[in-house]
Amino acid sequence: MKAFSSGICCFLLTVFSYGQELAVVKMRNITGYISKDGNYQIEPKFINAHSFAEGLAVVKEGNKFGYINAQGKWVVQPMFDEARSFSSGMAAVKTKKEWYFIDQTGKKQEQIYAYAKAFDFVNNVAFYRTDGFYGLINKEGEVVMKPMFNAVRQFENGYSKVRDGKLWGIIDTNGKLVVEAIYNEIGSYIDGVTWAKKDNYFVLINNGEVIQLPHVTQIVAFNNSKQIIVKSGHYVGVVNSKGQEVLPFKYQNVHVNGSELMAVKKDKVWGFMNERQQVVIDFMYEDAFPFDDSGLAAAKIDKWGFINRKGEMVLSFNYDITIVNNEGRKQNVGFIDGLARVKKDNKWGFIDAKGNALGNRWYDNIELFSK
């Protein structure tokens, strides 16, 4: 009865704290978690800790990995040689040489045991591989799509890039092709739009309509469907989802995030332009990123600082920033929910729009908030 009550308690704590966002912080080679008030939610005590996903976080104690909730309580005891974060209520774990899936109580999911070397579950489905081909299964172990593709990529926004022979297409979580596998290269699928390369030319595919991009020689970046950064020869420009020119091919680089003001590089310096091709903030920065929801943009003059839409310095150029986290994954730069992740005097912290450090604390390393 005691074990049962303890398990129920941990489960309820996990459910209760699921909506709470926490950030991994590292001090003197041990990691813990802080909340958005800047206080420790879980004091640093772990050798290795990962960001929260679906209310649980992978942490390492001794030589084994397990899962804790936002109260720092063990929900799944450390018993695994390797462990991945939860997604769609499932996590892949490894003991000795065996991979398998567990649910959030730590119970092995026998129905999908044989497929555990597949990708993580996303939107309740996961890829699995048989005889060199990939198919899809659901959490009950039922086949959603028979193995038919030579290569696949993890689902993003409910869609995945797949390769049939040497040609790429896109499927949804039901295994249905939304873009035929007839292209040499293909991009992500965002708001019904993607880019692709067939033979020696690029196209946009907008809800099934194929739009030629006759002068494009490279797709530089595609993170929103309204502003697609493209290259023609040595110069960069921007087109929209209909292939219409937003910025002409005359710049060295561009950063966009869907907002009207784009960070643009010309003659080795960065400035800001709008979609009417007007210079709004003069070219003077070593690097720059677009404005975020706070109304501020990260810009660099020797160090990084933050400016407003008038080009006025709001936070002085005293910081370092990075677009890659500790796991090598790209992350947003600038303010998210009123906080920006920055480095100052070799220490990392979160600052608000006035430059105040969250909790008046700085750390050896930090990650973005998650839950």
Side-chain angles (χ1 to χ4, degrees):
M1 176 66 75
K2 184 176 179 181
F4 176 78
S5 299
S6 176
I8 291 294
C9 180
C10 284
F11 174 76
L12 290 174
L13 282 170
T14 300
V15 172
F16 177 76
S17 58
Y18 187 89
Q20 186 176 18
E21 289 189 286
L22 301 177
V24 178
V25 297
K26 188 173 186 178
M27 287 294 289
R28 294 181 292 277
N29 294 320
I30 55 173
T31 53
Y33 297 84
I34 60 170
S35 57
K36 283 199 167 179
D37 61 10
N39 294 318
Y40 280 113
Q41 174 75 12
I42 303 170
E43 292 282 344
K45 59 182 177 180
F46 300 109
I47 300 170
N48 189 309
H50 296 258
S51 297
F52 274 83
E54 299 189 356
L56 298 175
V58 179
V59 297
K60 188 176 186 180
E61 184 172 81
N63 293 320
K64 299 293 182 181
F65 290 93
Y67 296 85
I68 60 169
N69 62 19
Q71 307 303 316
K73 304 293 185 183
W74 289 105
V75 176
V76 181
Q77 293 294 320
M79 65 181 78
F80 309 111
D81 297 320
E82 296 183 48
R84 300 208 293 256
S85 296
F86 274 91
S87 179
S88 292
M90 299 283 206
V93 296
K94 183 181 180 183
T95 54
K96 297 180 181 179
K97 294 183 179 181
E98 279 187 323
W99 280 94
Y100 55 92
F101 284 101
I102 59 171
D103 64 16
Q104 291 194 337
T105 68
K107 182 180 178 182
K108 182 189 290 188
Q109 302 300 288
E110 300 287 355
Q111 75 275 15
I112 49 177
Y113 170 73
Y115 304 132
K117 277 195 175 181
F119 289 55
D120 293 334
F121 274 86
V122 178
N123 300 116
N124 299 312
V125 295
F127 286 109
Y128 71 100
R129 188 180 183 190
T130 299
D131 298 326
F133 292 91
Y134 289 89
L136 277 177
I137 54 168
N138 61 24
K139 294 197 294 185
E140 286 69 47
E142 300 166 338
V143 173
V144 175
M145 179 187 75
K146 293 180 179 179
M148 58 188 297
F149 295 109
N150 304 94
V152 295
R153 298 292 181 263
Q154 187 61 281
F155 280 97
E156 296 179 69
N157 307 311
Y159 299 93
S160 169
K161 295 180 276 189
V162 295
R163 180 164 59 83
D164 185 2
K166 295 183 178 180
L167 301 177
W168 290 89
I170 293 175
I171 63 168
D172 62 19
T173 53
N174 294 314
K176 179 183 177 182
L177 277 166
V178 295
V179 178
E180 274 191 280
I182 59 173
Y183 298 99
N184 304 105
E185 299 177 29
I186 203 161
S188 300
Y189 198 68
I190 303 173
D191 299 329
V193 179
T194 188
W195 64 267
K197 183 179 183 182
K198 187 172 177 62
D199 299 325
N200 293 317
Y201 62 89
F202 286 91
V203 300
L204 289 180
I205 304 164
N206 187 337
N207 292 295
E209 180 187 359
V210 179
I211 302 165
Q212 302 287 334
L213 298 174
H215 304 298
V216 171
T217 56
Q218 181 186 344
I219 305 295
V220 178
F222 178 54
N223 58 30
N224 75 86
S225 61
K226 298 177 183 177
Q227 301 162 328
I228 303 159
I229 304 174
V230 294
K231 195 171 187 178
S232 180
H234 297 293
Y235 295 98
V236 171
V238 177
V239 299
N240 62 21
S241 61
K242 297 180 180 179
Q244 298 165 336
E245 183 181 276
V246 177
L247 280 183
F249 298 104
K250 56 188 293 186
Y251 302 102
Q252 293 170 305
N253 204 351
V254 182
H255 291 154
V256 300
N257 65 357
S259 61
E260 184 186 5
L261 290 186
M262 298 169 282
V264 180
K265 185 179 183 181
K266 181 180 180 182
D267 298 328
K268 298 184 180 180
V269 289
W270 290 78
F272 291 84
M273 298 181 66
N274 61 26
E275 293 185 350
R276 295 182 296 280
Q277 302 179 17
Q278 299 168 324
V279 177
V280 178
I281 299 173
D282 286 339
F283 292 87
M284 66 178 77
Y285 304 104
E286 296 172 30
D287 202 349
F289 286 95
F291 286 86
D292 55 43
D293 292 338
S294 72
L296 301 180
K300 185 178 183 182
I301 298 179
D302 189 33
K303 293 274 189 177
W304 288 89
F306 292 88
I307 61 173
N308 62 22
R309 293 179 185 274
K310 296 180 180 180
E312 300 167 334
M313 183 184 70
V314 176
L315 294 175
S316 58
F317 300 97
N318 292 325
Y319 304 103
D320 292 310
I321 61 175
T322 179
I323 62 172
V324 179
N325 66 13
N326 288 332
E327 297 174 359
R329 298 176 183 173
K330 285 189 176 181
Q331 59 186 20
N332 291 330
V333 172
F335 284 86
I336 302 172
D337 296 331
L339 295 171
R341 176 181 180 266
V342 298
K343 187 178 185 180
K344 184 178 181 181
D345 299 328
N346 291 318
K347 294 289 184 180
W348 287 92
F350 293 101
I351 59 171
D352 63 19
K354 294 182 179 180
N356 299 314
L358 180 66
N360 199 28
R361 289 174 172 166
W362 295 85
Y363 307 90
D364 293 337
N365 210 338
I366 57 174
E367 297 292 350
L368 295 179
F369 281 92
S370 65
K371 58 185 178 181

